């Protein structure tokens, strides 16, 4: 945005930057990043003149975007919007996680972890985060900071989930330039030792299918060592085998579906549609098969 961000609203600066980065790449992501920033900004400070002026301009921008994107179901239907943002965030997470577990540490994967965490923040505009997304967000923020600090100090990061007690998440981290500024006071953002999932074994995080880089992620990225590196080969897509029993699917006997069943089936279909936006055939097929099985058997 053109207007300078008031210091009181510093907490939303990276969400606004992510929105700006996706202005043309994915306007739906840009819209919800700004919506989250506006809602959070209102809670932070909506009374001082400079904050109120900034937030009013942000509201006007959101109204303009909403009119321009009015025909997009991801804007007009919350369920579709939620699926779009969640799918995008998890693809960023998956790309970074694949790079991490393969021992390929570089600025692009750090930014992917960090951006995934920001987009999982954004999911809160649709309601409370699921426990799974809460853990993904916590892990992604920690990993981005941990790997960044290791590379800055000339250390080799450990791949995959490792102990994360007491690791600080620096809100000053500059994902664009891969640098952390020096705050005047110690950062208050410390990952909690207590609370939901504080002692979670992160190796048990359930990663959704479709583990490949999102469309906007470069396929070639540098290694952290500074030595000549080979291009990272795109991860092959694993297309799931279609369940033959679903090819001519019809309801079995007197299957009684509950309203919750219909909602879940609709959600699977929306996830499939969102996956196809990123040409992720495998994930689309899996979600469609889940919807068919639920509708024909009443079971998942």
């Amino acid at each position: 945005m053109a207007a300078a961000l008031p210091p009181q609203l510093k907490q939303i600066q990276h969400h606004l930057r992510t929105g700006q980065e996706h202005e043309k790449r994915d306007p739906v992501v840009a819209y919800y990043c700004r919506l989250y920033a506006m809602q959070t900004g209102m809670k932070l400070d909506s009374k001082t003149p400079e904050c109120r002026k900034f937030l009013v301009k942000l509201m006007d921008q959101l109204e303009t975007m909403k009119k321009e994107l009015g025909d997009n179901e991801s804007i007009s239907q919350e369920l579709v919007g939620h699926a779009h943002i969640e799918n995008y965030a998890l693809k960023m997470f998956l790309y970074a996680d694949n790079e991490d577990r393969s021992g390929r540490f570089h600025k692009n994967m750090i930014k992917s972890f960090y951006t995934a965490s920001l987009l999982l923040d954004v999911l809160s505009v649709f309601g409370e985060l699921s426990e799974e997304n809460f853990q993904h967000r916590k892990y992604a923020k920690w990993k981005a900071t941990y790997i960044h600090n290791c590379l800055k100090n000339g250390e080799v990061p450990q791949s995959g989930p490792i102990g994360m007690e007491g690791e600080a998440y620096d809100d000053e981290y500059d994902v664009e330039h891969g640098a952390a500024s020096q705050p005047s006071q110690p950062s208050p953002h410390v990952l909690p030792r207590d609370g939901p999932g504080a002692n979670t074994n992160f190796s048990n995080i359930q990663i959704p299918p479709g583990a490949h880089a999102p469309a906007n992620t470069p396929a070639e990225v540098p290694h952290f060592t500074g030595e000549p590196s080979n291009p990272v080969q795109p991860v092959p897509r694993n297309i799931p085998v279609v369940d033959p029993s679903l090819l001519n699917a019809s309801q079995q006997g007197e299957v009684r579906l509950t309203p919750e069943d219909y909602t879940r089936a609709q959600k699977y279909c929306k996830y499939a549609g969102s996956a196809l936006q990123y040409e992720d055939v495998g994930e689309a097929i899996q979600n469609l098969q889940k919807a068919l099985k639920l509708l024909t058997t009443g079971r998942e």
Side-chain angles (χ1 to χ4, degrees):
M1 294 186 60
L5 182 70
Q8 302 94 312
L9 304 181
K10 195 173 184 180
Q11 184 178 323
I12 62 174
Q13 65 178 335
H14 295 305
H15 300 89
L16 288 171
R17 177 183 292 173
T18 300
Q20 186 176 11
E21 290 173 349
H22 288 79
E23 183 85 49
K24 295 181 179 179
R25 182 187 306 166
D26 191 326
V28 171
V29 171
Y31 174 82
Y32 282 113
C33 283
R34 287 165 178 159
L35 179 61
Y36 171 85
M38 188 271 291
Q39 292 180 353
T40 304
M42 292 291 290
K43 296 174 185 176
L44 292 172
D45 188 343
S46 61
K47 295 181 180 180
T48 58
E50 56 181 341
C51 289
R52 186 165 60 247
K53 182 179 179 180
F54 182 89
L55 292 171
V56 167
K57 287 187 177 181
L58 185 56
M59 288 179 195
D60 291 341
Q61 186 180 30
L62 282 166
E63 283 300 315
T64 300
M65 292 186 72
K66 193 170 185 179
K67 290 178 182 177
E68 293 174 349
L69 301 171
D71 295 334
N72 192 317
E73 286 189 346
S74 294
I75 301 298
S76 60
Q77 297 185 33
E78 282 196 2
L79 185 64
V80 186
H82 183 282
H84 186 102
I85 300 300
E86 183 178 48
N87 197 40
Y88 194 98
L90 292 181
K91 285 188 180 299
M92 297 294 288
F93 181 98
L94 285 167
Y95 167 72
D97 190 57
N98 284 340
E99 292 295 282
D100 174 42
R101 291 171 189 266
S102 299
R104 296 187 289 261
F105 306 107
H106 46 81
K107 291 181 180 179
N108 194 54
M109 65 92 76
I110 294 173
K111 183 170 182 178
S112 293
F113 263 135
Y114 191 78
T115 302
S117 74
L118 295 176
L119 293 177
L120 289 168
D121 283 340
V122 171
L123 275 183
S124 64
V125 303
F126 302 103
E128 187 176 354
L129 288 184
S130 66
E131 178 63 18
E132 184 181 28
N133 284 332
F134 174 85
Q135 294 300 335
H136 279 120
R137 180 182 66 177
K138 181 178 177 181
Y139 182 77
K141 285 184 179 180
W142 169 75
K143 261 294 183 180
T145 303
Y146 165 71
I147 296 173
H148 164 75
N149 288 338
C150 284
L151 299 188
K152 183 177 69 172
N153 296 328
E155 302 171 355
V156 179
Q158 294 186 47
S159 297
I162 56 177
M164 56 182 288
E165 289 79 5
E167 286 284 350
Y169 160 54
D170 184 4
D171 203 29
E172 304 295 320
Y173 178 65
D174 187 341
V175 295
E176 186 66 30
H177 301 98
S181 60
Q182 298 298 322
S184 57
Q185 301 177 13
S187 172
H189 299 277
V190 178
L191 294 175
R193 295 175 183 269
D194 303 314
N199 298 316
T200 299
N201 180 355
F202 283 90
S203 62
N204 292 330
I205 286 181
Q206 297 299 309
I207 305 297
H212 65 274
N216 63 318
T217 304
E220 185 174 334
V221 288
H223 289 276
F224 77 98
T225 58
E227 301 174 356
S229 58
N230 296 322
V232 177
Q233 297 301 317
V235 179
R237 302 183 185 183
N238 296 318
I239 305 300
V241 177
V242 177
D243 185 347
S245 66
L246 297 176
L247 293 177
N248 296 303
S250 60
Q251 277 198 330
Q252 301 174 4
E254 295 184 5
V255 176
R256 295 188 177 181
L257 299 175
T258 65
E260 289 76 18
D261 291 333
Y262 286 111
T263 299
R264 283 200 298 273
Q266 186 182 23
K267 187 175 181 179
Y268 285 135
C269 291
K270 299 303 182 185
Y271 280 154
S274 184
L276 288 175
Q277 291 184 358
Y278 300 99
E279 301 178 2
D280 191 344
V281 178
E283 186 171 354
I285 290 175
Q286 287 198 345
N287 279 288
L288 290 173
Q289 288 189 130
K290 288 178 181 179
L292 278 173
K293 183 176 180 181
L294 178 60
L295 292 172
T296 55
T297 67
R299 299 188 303 273
E300 292 191 70

